[in-house]
Amino acid sequence: MAGNNKTPTMLDVARLANVSSMTVSRAFKRDASVGKETRERILKAADELGYVLDSTAANLSSRKTGFVAVTIPSINNANFADTLRGMSQRLRGSGLEILLGYTDYSVDEEERLIEQFLRRRPEAIVVTGGTHTDRCRKLLEHSGVPVVETWDLPAKPIGHVVGFSNAEAAKLMVDHFVERGYTRLGFIGGDTSRDTRGLDRRRGFLEAVKARGLDSSRLIASGPPPITMREGAASMREMIARWPDTQAVMCVSDLSAFGALTECQRKGIRVPEDIAIGGFGAYDLAEHAVPAITTIDASAKAIGTHAADTVLSLLSNPESTDVRMVTRITPKIIARQTT
Amino acid sequence: MAGNNKTPTMLDVARLANVSSMTVSRAFKRDASVGKETRERILKAADELGYVLDSTAANLSSRKTGFVAVTIPSINNANFADTLRGMSQRLRGSGLEILLGYTDYSVDEEERLIEQFLRRRPEAIVVTGGTHTDRCRKLLEHSGVPVVETWDLPAKPIGHVVGFSNAEAAKLMVDHFVERGYTRLGFIGGDTSRDTRGLDRRRGFLEAVKARGLDSSRLIASGPPPITMREGAASMREMIARWPDTQAVMCVSDLSAFGALTECQRKGIRVPEDIAIGGFGAYDLAEHAVPAITTIDASAKAIGTHAADTVLSLLSNPESTDVRMVTRITPKIIARQTT
DNA sequence: TTGAAAGCGTTACCAA
DNA sequence: TTGGTAACGCTTTCAA
């Protein structure tokens, strides 16, 4: 019946089922030792009262919240969404839930978020990237729970890592372009310190281009993240205006690469005949676009499953407090635009 | 120093700062009445000990968790991501945090999720859609907190609503097509009961087509959600094969519309000269694609901000327990492909 | 398999 | 502005 003026507690259930509240508590656990008949009676009583376990109290008592705090830069990003999907798929059934926050590509926002999350006493923390404010680092280091940094290979990791070198990954694209015979290469995006992964890709591109003695000046800034199709298109416009003889362009992500592609299409520039375009992230979009866009697959979803595995492994081996787990992903190029 | 073997509590801070734990508690609230100097001393002490407030205990004591439980069908969907963004932007600074779960377009999964979430004692619940299992409805009705259904206009809402009629929205596209002079119209997707919003769009399309006496047989099923570019492309292939003289096709979402577009491009079919394509959702993708895709804007982000406003309004007026707030969004067509 | 008692770390409430 | 005390609803621990 509706109209109860108070949410029932275990004690209410216990009284109705003629047991102690302790037995009710046990009845709500899978493995607990409760008489079959007793349990049924209890669950029936609970149902009758509309009782719902209060994990807020359970958390306090058991000092376990079942939370894994996760921060990602942006929710509107297929790559991070994939990582998240991988993580929550792997976490399903483990009793762990994700407490999600997004930083909007800001380390200050990340600090604020982590500080908030820490109050909730998560059992593990998964963050994106290896760059944080000093205070945030300190908070994470002293959190007392496993910390996993993802999507990067930090020089001085806080705890555990599931990631790859964005600089190395970008070099794959330069290799690919050079193999195709392109020598005048440009890069779009990755110009702001807010997106350290983008910055690393740009750096990797530059290093590879310089190592081959090619022109390393063809860089277009796209401004602060998130870099969308719009910025990709605008940057391509600028690229063509400034260096009309550019043969191939790498974009910081598939989203901007698609924007760049559409800009070419509007201008009647043929891709890849007049100019080839590469992106990053292996978005569906890159596969389906006509022409398809060459890209680099960093296994976004696998990053999530590995991060989850790391957490699960660490939490089930509470002894291993001085272990550092590093899972290194190997990005692969997906060559398209085969003229 | 690292090496504390126990996380400090308020009492530890209190002792160090020479106050009662009650005063420490106050010092951690914005508005509380604490002497300026006292507060500083307390915060300094807290910092020294590396104290972090335990909201797990605070939640239990105050019976407030600061959680808003939110369920969306999929995380990899720009529309729901936008709604989420709108919601969290509006919630920022309110002291409310989002507890996010995704249902994978399954009402059973939704039920499981809601049941889990209810244990965490959220202060409000925001769900996507108006279709739920019976048990889930019951759980929500008895939750004792505001419930907001979004992205739909349920006939019998559980509590509050921020949404629109998907069927009405789809009719806008039929109107648009007919105005353009198209009479042989097709629809792609929306064929599965798992995506009730898609189903509604398809229904709206059919009703509008029939009302005008047009051929209402040109329907292609895309299978269970999420409907991606791939399904859009495959469906378009089938549409063309079965009804080669189709003049315009509406797709259940912009994602599948883009897939359909690329299929045409690969086949050398001109869009919109040979066949026009419309989508749903006002994705960036629809705007940037070449040619751009006609779409329907349901103000995904505004749904989020309104849902947040609804929650905030309800929580700040605890008296208004018998109020029902319904915010009706008016979808608008964004006409493109102007030949 | 079941129960009793003692917290878990905070805030509500009342008093000073 | 500050402090004391009693919850908050559960689980841990120990006993039966």
Side-chain angles (χ1 to χ4, degrees), chain A residues 7 12 19 24-25 37 39 57 70 73-75 78 102-103 133 144 223 242 257 272 281 301 316 318:
Chain A
T7 43
D12 297 318
V19 290
V24 177
S25 174
E37 189 213 338
R39 156 174 277 138
V70 178
S74 157
I75 186 93
Y102 62 93
T103 65
T133 65
R242 292 179 59 184
K301 193 175 172 193
S316 59

Side-chain angles (χ1 to χ4, degrees), chain A:
Chain A
M1 287 289 121
N4 290 325
N5 48 7
K6 258 193 145 188
T7 43
T9 70
M10 272 191 176
L11 199 58
D12 297 318
V13 179
R15 280 198 269 258
L16 186 59
N18 259 308
V19 290
S20 74
S21 64
M22 206 36 245
T23 307
V24 177
S25 174
R26 291 189 183 104
F28 273 86
K29 297 203 183 292
R30 303 204 166 280
D31 55 340
S33 47
V34 187
K36 188 165 180 297
E37 189 213 338
T38 316
R39 156 174 277 138
E40 274 168 15
R41 184 155 36 93
I42 290 172
L43 293 182
K44 186 167 153 289
D47 208 54
E48 203 166 309
L49 294 172
Y51 171 75
V52 176
L53 181 75
D54 187 341
S55 46
T56 244
N59 294 167
L60 177 59
S61 182
S62 67
R63 282 84 137 353
K64 287 196 175 174
T65 59
F67 277 135
V68 177
V70 178
T71 65
I72 58 177
S74 157
I75 186 93
N76 299 55
N77 179 303
N79 272 175
F80 299 131
D82 277 341
T83 297
L84 210 55
R85 252 185 343 125
M87 213 159 4
S88 48
Q89 275 181 19
R90 200 58 132 240
L91 253 28
R92 177 154 305 173
S94 71
L96 256 26
E97 253 168 79
I98 289 177
L99 192 57
L100 178 69
Y102 62 93
T103 65
D104 215 4
Y105 293 92
S106 151
V107 286
D108 292 317
E109 188 54 33
E110 184 192 46
E111 177 185 314
R112 229 167 308 164
L113 217 48
I114 292 293
E115 193 165 13
Q116 281 302 96
F117 281 175
L118 250 21
R119 295 183 167 195
R120 302 254 186 217
R121 298 292 190 263
E123 299 184 34
I125 303 174
V126 178
V127 299
T128 306
T131 308
H132 320 280
T133 65
D134 287 348
R135 205 173 114 66
C136 187
R137 272 195 83 89
K138 208 162 293 172
L139 285 170
L140 291 172
E141 280 163 356
H142 296 169
S143 68
V145 296
V147 174
V148 183
E149 291 168 288
T150 62
W151 277 91
D152 202 351
L153 239 36
K156 291 194 176 143
I158 295 174
H160 313 275
V161 178
V162 179
F164 61 94
S165 161
N166 282 273
E168 291 298 323
K171 289 180 183 175
L172 295 177
M173 187 65 77
V174 174
D175 293 345
H176 168 79
F177 282 157
V178 170
E179 273 174 31
R180 282 278 196 276
Y182 304 129
T183 53
R184 296 186 296 278
L185 312 181
F187 191 92
I188 283 176
D191 46 273
T192 146
S193 62
R194 277 180 71 187
D195 180 9
T196 56
R197 286 162 298 285
L199 212 54
D200 285 343
R201 285 170 210 159
R202 185 163 169 272
R203 182 168 52 76
F205 172 88
L206 273 179
E207 287 173 4
V209 163
K210 284 179 184 163
R212 291 168 181 278
L214 303 176
D215 177 9
S216 63
S217 63
R218 301 173 189 232
L219 305 174
I220 301 293
S222 294
I227 308 300
T228 65
M229 301 174 190
R230 188 178 310 283
E231 285 79 33
S235 297
M236 186 53 123
R237 208 173 307 139
E238 199 180 333
M239 178 73 75
I240 294 167
R242 292 179 59 184
W243 296 285
D245 65 343
T246 302
Q247 296 172 303
V249 174
M250 173 173 190
C251 299
V252 73
S253 87
D254 283 348
L255 229 45
S256 52
F258 180 75
L261 169 63
T262 62
E263 181 64 19
C264 291
Q265 294 178 324
R266 280 184 293 265
K267 281 194 147 52
I269 297 170
R270 293 169 306 162
V271 177
E273 292 80 358
D274 298 331
I275 193 165
I277 296 178
F280 192 102
Y283 286 54
D284 281 351
L285 182 55
E287 177 185 348
H288 288 273
V290 180
I293 298 169
T294 297
T295 190
I296 290 165
D297 184 2
S299 312
K301 193 175 172 193
I303 291 179
T305 54
H306 282 122
D309 284 340
T310 300
V311 167
L312 291 172
S313 159
L314 258 12
L315 291 184
S316 59
N317 293 52
E319 317 304 325
S320 59
T321 179
D322 52 354
V323 171
R324 182 191 301 287
M325 294 180 69
V326 176
T327 304
R328 187 173 181 138
I329 303 283
T330 306
K332 291 172 296 293
I333 188 136
I334 301 178
R336 290 164 179 153
Q337 306 189 351
T338 51
T339 37

Side-chain angles (χ1 to χ4, degrees), chain B residues 6 21 26 75 122 129 136 155-156 169 188 200 209 224 227 245 259 307-308 311-312:
Chain B
K6 258 193 142 188
S21 65
R26 291 187 183 106
I75 187 93
C136 187
K156 291 195 176 143
I188 282 175
D200 286 343
V209 162
I227 310 299
D245 64 343
V311 167
L312 290 172

Side-chain angles (χ1 to χ4, degrees), chain A residues 74-77 102 226 228, chain B residues 70 72 74-90 98 100 128 150-151 254 280-285 296-308:
Chain A
S74 157
I75 186 93
N76 299 55
N77 179 303
Y102 62 93
T228 65
Chain B
V70 177
I72 57 177
S74 156
I75 187 93
N76 299 54
N77 179 302
N79 273 175
F80 300 130
D82 277 342
T83 297
L84 210 54
R85 254 188 338 129
M87 214 158 6
S88 49
Q89 275 181 20
R90 201 57 133 243
I98 290 177
L100 178 70
T128 306
T150 63
W151 277 91
D254 283 349
F280 192 102
Y283 286 52
D284 281 352
L285 181 56
I296 291 165
D297 184 2
S299 313
K301 192 176 173 194
I303 291 178
T305 55
H306 282 122

